[in-house]
Amino acid sequence: MQSLCYILRRNPLKFGIMASLSTIDIVIIALFFAVIVLITKAASRRNKNGVEDYFLGGRQMPWWLLGVSMVACTFSADTPNLVTGMVREAGIAKNWAWWSFLITGMATVFIFAKLWRRTGIVTDLEFYELRYSGKAASFLRGFRAIYLGLFFNVLIIGSVTLAAIKIGAVIFDLKPLYTVILGSIAVVIYTAIAGFRGVVWADFFQYIIAMLGAVVAAVSALSLPEVGGLSGLVNNAEIADKLNFIPDLTDPSVFIPILIIPIAVQWWSVWYPGSEPGGGGYMCQKMLSAKNEKHAVAANLFFNFAHYALRPWPWIIVALASLVIFKPDPVEVRTAATAELQSAELNPYYQQFTANFDESALPESVRQKVVDLYFQKQGLSSMHKAFPTVNAEYLRDDTAYPIMITKTGKGWFGLIIASLIAAYMSTIGTHLNWGASYLVNDFYKRFVNPKASDKKLRHVAIFCTFILMVLGGLTSLTIMNSATQAFEILLLSGAGTGAVYLLRWFWWRVNAVTEIVSMCAAAIMSLIMVFAVPKGCLANSVLDHSTMSLLVTVAVVSLAWIITVLATKPENEEKLREFYKVARPGGPGWKVVLLKAKADGVELEADDAKWDMPKQILCVFIGIITIYASLFAGGYFVLLKPIPGVILSVIAIASAVALFKIASKLKLMDKKNTTI
């Protein structure tokens, strides 16, 4: 092994990777990849040629494996960066931007998971031709296959790969292109060969490594002399304003965009991958692969607990420690730098620099001054001084996470690098398989070659996997520069559509045209808000431009689909009855359909069809209390406040007991559609 390490360090490409790694670090990373190879080999042997097997693992996945896989695929390389950027910019409370999605998550657990599993479809896009009829349904399925499978997937893969670029630049001094190539090769090969089963088992292993690495990174950050342990961190006056879980309720410009908007509007109105209102996307893929409805529900419940209550605090600790090690520039320094860069003397050079972040293109007489002022304006002078070779395009607040990792000792450093690789691979692997499932099952097989053999479909799936990775890598190199930016783009692109995805299960009047209008309106509005509306013009004393853009988009899109659903005809009776027989959603929203069917002598309701919705909503409410109490109990212990931590722990345990007692009475079906 020592001779191998020597050879690798002598690599003529001089990437700088091996110079940063000790022998023990290389051994740990090598062992990580060895396990991935073994998983890939074992999974490929079990795979058959069938589409269901390649994309759903034969629908035999247990809840615990799927639950961990769900957490792993949302634990991507850019997630620690995203959380770090949020904490550095606005404190712990800024995480409500994604904590609010717990409401969506719990609704999926107790309301929608069983419905998805009951349909028996291969992808959630098949839902369109199960629920709707005619050319509109076919168009919706085919268009969404390209729109989500290609466009959205490429955008997400690009954002995750961007995080890998930043990690590679900071830790290994890697050029972006090299990072993309190295990061893509391994994940695209094992995803293409192993299929869904291999991805899920790899997720299981990768999640363990990723969480262990996150904890080690947090412990390492706390051990730095400047931080002074957990006590030194939480008592540091420099970060006192960053420690609140709830934003300042006396300042509307703080608590309304950070807390009220996410809880009141964002969770139900915005389509966001992994937190879709009503479920969907790769989360739905995993629900559809479950053994039965009970396993689908349990997998989602485990995911929400681990996703919200367990994962955030190691990242938040590192983010807070980074504020101590790399202090942001004071407001007055930022203001002065901004004013100087806007001066007649420097502004042309500043505009030239920010157009492509090429320092060498600036005249030598002003080069250093413009660059220094740029980082002062961003509040990142200390990080720039510590890592002057990192391109200005990639150095942001979210880059603080990989920067902090460089301060880890030998051995532990290798484990953290393996954990970041694991986080990257688990997310990319899921998105590649999920995206390929749309392109193959819902576009190629449905519209291009309906008679294609299973062998042919698998070959097409492998081809699509490679194409998605290539396009995602190009996106990361050409479009994005921060995880926060990607998060905002994704939110805006799905704004206003969420309510349709909730109501289509429970209101017979929702039709295919409604979904088409909502989707198109959201796409058009996002383009207008990003490219036509001047940045900052919507801002006011309470809400910033991004929040106002979201609210305007939600309002316009909601108005568009409401008018559409009232002005257009519903789906035909035959299609509505067919859907109801399969999904059995129940509720007053289907009363018209049930009465007409009964009048025609068709019985749609089963003998045990009493609506569970009141019980389900109660479970959603108690589940939210359970997980938020667990989340903040952990936070108070981290902040060395044991009394509120203990109180919230008691609330979490008591509500969990009540939750399981009530949930055990919900009607769930096994794979033969018999009640269990």
Side-chain angles (χ1 to χ4, degrees):
M1 179 60 75
Q2 288 182 345
S3 60
L4 173 62
C5 296
Y6 174 78
I7 292 172
L8 291 171
R9 290 195 184 98
R10 299 288 293 177
N11 190 315
L13 292 176
K14 295 183 179 179
F15 287 157
I17 295 179
M18 298 307 160
S20 305
L21 297 172
S22 67
T23 299
I24 186 63
D25 293 328
I26 296 172
V27 170
I28 291 172
I29 295 172
L31 288 173
F32 167 79
F33 279 107
V35 174
I36 295 298
V37 169
L38 292 174
I39 291 173
T40 303
K41 189 175 181 180
S44 63
R45 285 178 176 174
R46 292 191 61 190
N47 274 338
K48 302 174 184 177
N49 288 326
V51 171
E52 279 200 16
D53 202 78
Y54 189 79
F55 291 129
L56 295 178
R59 301 190 195 269
Q60 293 298 315
M61 298 292 109
W63 69 268
W64 55 269
L65 183 59
L66 288 175
V68 173
S69 178
M70 288 175 178
V71 188
C73 68
T74 56
F75 186 161
S76 62
D78 66 331
T79 313
N81 291 19
L82 174 66
V83 172
T84 299
M86 288 178 170
V87 172
R88 286 182 62 89
E89 292 163 11
I92 295 175
K94 181 70 180 290
N95 285 280
W96 279 102
W98 65 278
W99 285 345
S100 63
F101 283 122
L102 172 63
I103 305 172
T104 303
M106 297 311 294
T108 299
V109 172
F110 294 109
I111 298 175
F112 297 101
K114 68 176 185 178
L115 297 176
W116 279 116
R117 183 61 185 85
R118 194 173 293 172
T119 63
I121 54 183
V122 175
T123 70
D124 59 317
L125 296 189
E126 277 190 45
F127 174 90
Y128 293 122
E129 291 189 299
L130 176 65
R131 174 66 173 82
Y132 311 126
S133 60
K135 293 182 179 179
S138 300
F139 166 79
L140 194 54
R141 180 178 177 183
F143 182 81
R144 294 284 282 184
I146 301 298
Y147 181 67
L148 297 179
L150 192 63
F151 171 72
F152 253 82
N153 246 313
V154 165
L155 190 63
I156 297 166
I157 291 169
S159 69
V160 177
T161 304
L162 172 66
I165 288 173
K166 295 186 177 187
I167 292 168
V170 170
I171 297 176
F172 300 123
D173 197 23
L174 266 175
K175 292 182 178 180
L177 180 60
Y178 294 155
T179 301
V180 172
I181 293 173
L182 292 174
S184 302
I185 291 174
V187 67
V188 79
I189 290 175
Y190 96 79
T191 303
I193 294 174
F196 181 81
R197 184 179 284 105
V199 168
V200 170
W201 275 106
D203 283 347
F204 183 81
F205 168 67
Q206 289 163 347
Y207 176 68
I208 295 172
I209 300 299
M211 274 306 298
L212 184 58
V215 172
V216 169
V219 173
S220 175
L222 292 173
S223 66
L224 295 173
E226 302 94 323
V227 177
L230 192 56
S231 177
L233 177 66
V234 299
N235 291 310
N236 192 307
E238 296 286 340
I239 64 168
D241 62 336
K242 307 286 187 181
L243 300 180
N244 295 322
F245 302 158
I246 305 296
D248 184 3
L249 297 180
T250 64
D251 187 349
S253 66
V254 174
F255 76 82
I256 290 180
I258 290 180
L259 182 63
I260 301 301
I261 298 300
I263 290 180
V265 178
Q266 186 173 293
W267 74 268
W268 60 264
S269 66
V270 175
W271 187 98
Y272 183 76
S275 300
E276 301 89 341
Y282 58 80
M283 301 299 286
C284 182
Q285 182 187 28
K286 296 182 191 302
M287 288 185 274
L288 291 169
S289 72
K291 289 182 177 181
N292 53 41
E293 292 176 23
K294 187 175 182 180
H295 281 265
V297 170
N300 266 278
L301 182 58
F302 177 84
F303 158 72
N304 279 277
F305 177 76
H307 180 67
Y308 294 101
L310 295 183
R311 293 192 322 177
W313 293 110
W315 303 332
I316 291 172
I317 289 172
V318 174
L320 293 172
S322 76
L323 287 166
V324 175
I325 303 297
F326 301 103
K327 297 178 182 178
D329 294 286
V331 174
E332 55 271 21
V333 173
R334 295 188 185 196
T335 303
T338 301
E340 195 166 355
L341 287 171
Q342 291 175 345
S343 66
E345 177 189 357
L346 294 181
N347 191 254
Y349 300 115
Y350 170 64
Q351 296 297 332
Q352 180 185 352
F353 174 63
T354 55
N356 54 19
F357 294 100
D358 184 7
E359 297 180 24
S360 62
L362 297 175
E364 191 173 349
S365 58
V366 298
R367 182 182 305 162
Q368 194 60 50
K369 186 173 184 179
V370 169
V371 173
D372 288 345
L373 286 172
Y374 168 80
F375 283 109
Q376 288 177 19
K377 178 179 181 292
Q378 302 297 322
L380 303 172
S381 293
S382 58
M383 278 201 285
H384 173 59
K385 289 176 182 177
F387 293 85
T389 61
V390 178
N391 192 294
E393 182 179 3
Y394 300 118
L395 195 63
R396 297 285 188 275
D397 274 311
D398 62 353
T399 319
Y401 191 85
I403 282 178
M404 291 295 292
I405 288 172
T406 62
K407 297 182 175 295
T408 308
K410 294 180 180 180
W412 294 120
F413 180 65
L415 178 62
I416 294 175
I417 296 304
S419 76
L420 293 175
I421 295 172
Y424 175 78
M425 292 179 69
S426 63
T427 301
I428 297 296
T430 289
H431 278 279
L432 290 176
N433 187 265
W434 168 52
S437 74
Y438 281 0
L439 296 175
V440 174
N441 188 67
D442 300 297
F443 186 77
Y444 180 81
K445 181 183 177 183
R446 174 63 180 82
F447 299 102
V448 179
N449 190 358
K451 296 181 180 180
S453 65
D454 285 333
K455 185 176 181 180
K456 176 69 173 179
L457 292 175
R458 183 165 180 176
H459 288 162
V460 175
I462 292 172
F463 173 76
C464 291
T465 300
F466 278 89
I467 292 299
L468 286 171
M469 190 69 250
V470 170
L471 294 177
L474 290 174
T475 300
S476 69
L477 292 169
T478 57
I479 297 176
M480 298 177 175
N481 57 38
S482 81
T484 304
Q485 177 198 47
F487 182 77
E488 291 175 351
I489 291 173
L490 289 174
L491 281 182
L492 199 59
S493 298
T497 61
V500 177
Y501 302 133
L502 296 173
L503 290 174
R504 64 188 183 180
W505 291 94
F506 299 108
W507 188 23
W508 70 285
R509 286 291 282 113
V510 175
N511 56 25
V513 178
T514 305
E515 290 218 30
I516 292 172
V517 168
S518 68
M519 178 182 64
C520 293
I524 293 170
M525 285 300 298
S526 65
L527 291 174
I528 291 173
M529 289 298 168
V530 172
F531 297 108
V533 178
K535 190 71 174 177
C537 75
L538 295 178
N540 54 51
S541 60
V542 175
L543 301 176
D544 60 18
H545 180 84
S546 296
T547 305
M548 283 300 298
S549 296
L550 177 67
L551 292 178
V552 170
T553 302
V554 168
V556 172
V557 174
S558 298
L559 182 62
W561 74 255
I562 290 172
I563 292 174
T564 301
V565 79
L566 296 177
T568 56
K569 294 181 179 180
E571 300 298 330
N572 63 67
E573 287 292 327
E574 184 180 351
K575 175 57 67 172
L576 293 172
R577 293 175 185 180
E578 176 190 336
F579 172 75
Y580 194 91
K581 282 182 180 179
V582 173
R584 296 169 62 183
W590 287 94
K591 187 175 181 180
V592 172
V593 175
L594 295 177
L595 290 176
K596 286 183 180 179
K598 192 171 184 179
D600 293 340
V602 178
E603 189 63 51
L604 296 181
E605 286 281 21
D607 294 335
D608 59 348
K610 184 179 179 181
W611 207 33
D612 256 357
M613 187 58 70
K615 216 177 290 181
Q616 290 171 285
I617 293 175
L618 180 60
C619 285
V620 170
F621 179 72
I622 297 175
I624 291 170
I625 293 175
T626 301
I627 294 178
Y628 277 147
S630 302
L631 168 67
F632 297 123
Y636 278 119
F637 285 126
V638 165
L639 297 184
L640 302 180
K641 296 180 178 179
I643 294 178
V646 169
I647 293 173
L648 285 172
S649 295
V650 171
I651 293 173
I653 293 171
S655 56
V657 171
L659 177 65
F660 284 110
K661 185 175 181 179
I662 297 171
S664 65
K665 299 178 182 178
L666 296 177
K667 293 184 178 67
L668 299 173
M669 305 293 168
D670 64 12
K671 55 190 175 185
K672 296 179 181 178
N673 273 347
T674 55
T675 305
I676 55 177

